[in-house]
Amino acid sequence: MVTNNDLISRIKNANKFVSDDDLISDRFVYNMLKSKASVLIKREVNLKKLLFSDNLYQAYECICLIEAPGAECDLGCPIRRTKLKLPQIEEGLYSYFIQGVFNTSNSEELFPTTIRDFINHSRLRIKTNRKYYTIRNGYLYVLDPDVESVNMYAYFTESIQDADGSDCMSMQDKEFKIAAYLIDPLLQMVNQDLINYHKLPVEQETNNRDEQS
């Protein structure tokens, strides 16, 4: 496991001027790392290279689902949804970066769908035992009122712990989610950006720093 502090330290050690510049904080470097990591990860997921990487996806387990009126999804049947909005999930060319949604024992998978497709499935004479989910307005909707909780494995761009208010770890101690083979390209990208940033005129440098904050 690589932490935020591990990568921040490697960046600062490779760029001695960072330690001498009071305006380049750990948070500033962290935001650069997250921005460049997002570029790399989107590229790899869009090429379907990271679909099964455990170094990328986080487990959000035992997500409680509350009863919700079907009208929230333009349906006439009872459904369930998360009580709170999901932590933000990265999106690619085709869909959210979700590895899978399962029941709490991980013995049964739920499948992504659109409301239109779900309605079409419901009209079929041959019924299926599959259970479906969709994401709408930031909430996870499970289109089966009997499913009371689920596990989700996804590439979240914000802390899962922050979402439920139970986060006790500092930013530096949290795991930086990225595939191991992307760490060196990530560091190279951030190092180059820092070198370019350091060469900027003072006025432009201030504007760029404000954008990263």
Side-chain angles (χ1 to χ4, degrees), residues 74 86 130 159-160 176:
D74 303 320
L86 293 169
R130 281 188 168 190
S159 171
I160 294 173
F176 194 98

Side-chain angles (χ1 to χ4, degrees), residues 120-159:
N120 290 336
H121 283 305
S122 301
R123 290 173 177 170
L124 294 175
R125 289 186 178 181
I126 300 176
K127 301 299 181 182
T128 175
N129 291 324
R130 281 188 168 190
K131 293 178 172 58
Y132 295 94
Y133 73 87
T134 190
I135 294 176
R136 177 175 279 201
N137 299 324
Y139 293 94
L140 172 72
Y141 284 89
V142 173
L143 308 181
D144 185 323
D146 295 329
V147 180
E148 298 182 354
S149 56
V150 294
N151 294 338
M152 171 181 273
Y153 303 88
Y155 175 47
F156 297 98
T157 58
E158 64 182 16
S159 171

Side-chain angles (χ1 to χ4, degrees), residues 14 21 41 51 65 111 119 164 198 204:
D21 190 336
I41 290 168
L51 295 180
L65 303 173
F111 296 88
I119 292 173
D164 61 16
H198 192 61
Q204 187 175 352

Side-chain angles (χ1 to χ4, degrees), residues 10-12 14-15 17 32 184 186-197:
R10 290 178 65 174
I11 290 294
K12 295 175 75 171
N15 301 276
F17 63 85
M32 292 186 74
D184 285 344
L186 170 63
L187 296 176
Q188 291 171 12
M189 292 173 71
V190 174
N191 285 336
Q192 187 58 55
D193 268 21
L194 276 173
I195 291 172
N196 294 338
Y197 168 82

